Amino acid sequence: MSVCGMTGPGLGLSVFLLALLHLQCSAQNNYTTLPNNVSVAVGKPAAFQCGVSPPRQLNFTLYGSHRNITLICPGDHTEYLAAQSIKGYCDNTGKELFAIWLISGTSRSDNNTRVVCESSGRPLVDGYLWVYEDGSYFATLIGCVIGGFFGILIIFGLSYTVLRRSERLQLCFRGKDRENDVTTMVTKD
């Protein structure tokens, strides 16, 4: 008997069991935490995480501008990339296995960094880091330069005024009185 010839409760039960099996399989193939796309200003921190349930092996790869590195979970080790201020570690809660990449200070070279999460029997999922320039940084820099310029002008102006009005400072900078060293000139009469 073919599936096309099935009718009534037998077909309905078969479809229900197939749908239930499909839902269980797709639930097993899903990640509990997906790496998201992250957009941050230069110098700000960024974090990526990936999680699977039930806990089994999880590979979380960071494709950066300087280096590619894979974090293999479960594991009790921590990956450090000190030159890039990047830290990667695993966290197992018992029900879920997490892999986490932390970038403590982003730079322009970190733009378009890609992370890929991979677990057996599940499709690859990825996320990207986009780094942008924060305009307030330049406004602060320009304000500091202008403020410093006027601060130096005020300091030199006050120093000049105090030096001109203080006899004690003038004596200190001129040195000893030279009136005693004057030689007399002899003239013919």
Side-chain angles (χ1 to χ4, degrees), residues 57-128:
Q57 184 165 344
L58 176 67
N59 296 338
F60 200 28
T61 305
L62 181 116
Y63 296 98
S65 60
H66 303 290
R67 185 174 169 196
N68 301 335
I69 188 164
T70 300
L71 184 63
I72 300 172
C73 300
D76 56 354
H77 66 287
T78 302
E79 294 287 340
Y80 289 105
L81 299 174
Q84 295 171 272
S85 302
I86 296 175
K87 176 183 174 184
Y89 62 94
C90 302
D91 186 21
N92 191 345
T93 64
K95 294 182 179 181
E96 187 174 14
L97 177 64
F98 285 106
I100 301 165
W101 282 113
L102 298 173
I103 304 172
S104 59
T106 56
S107 66
R108 290 294 290 164
S109 64
D110 292 325
N111 197 28
N112 291 325
T113 295
R114 179 180 180 214
V115 292
V116 175
C117 190
E118 177 183 11
S119 184
S120 61
R122 295 181 171 110
L124 297 177
V125 291
D126 60 359
Y128 288 89

Side-chain angles (χ1 to χ4, degrees), residues 147-188:
F149 174 74
F150 284 113
I152 289 172
L153 282 179
I154 290 170
I155 289 172
F156 280 124
L158 288 174
S159 298
Y160 177 76
T161 303
V162 168
L163 185 62
R164 293 287 287 163
R165 291 189 178 199
S166 173
E167 291 179 23
R168 184 176 283 173
L169 283 175
Q170 288 180 9
L171 285 175
C172 178
F173 284 114
R174 283 188 190 153
K176 293 184 179 181
D177 194 14
R178 293 187 165 214
E179 290 181 17
N180 295 337
D181 294 338
V182 177
T183 58
T184 57
M185 295 181 78
V186 179
T187 58
K188 269 189 183 178

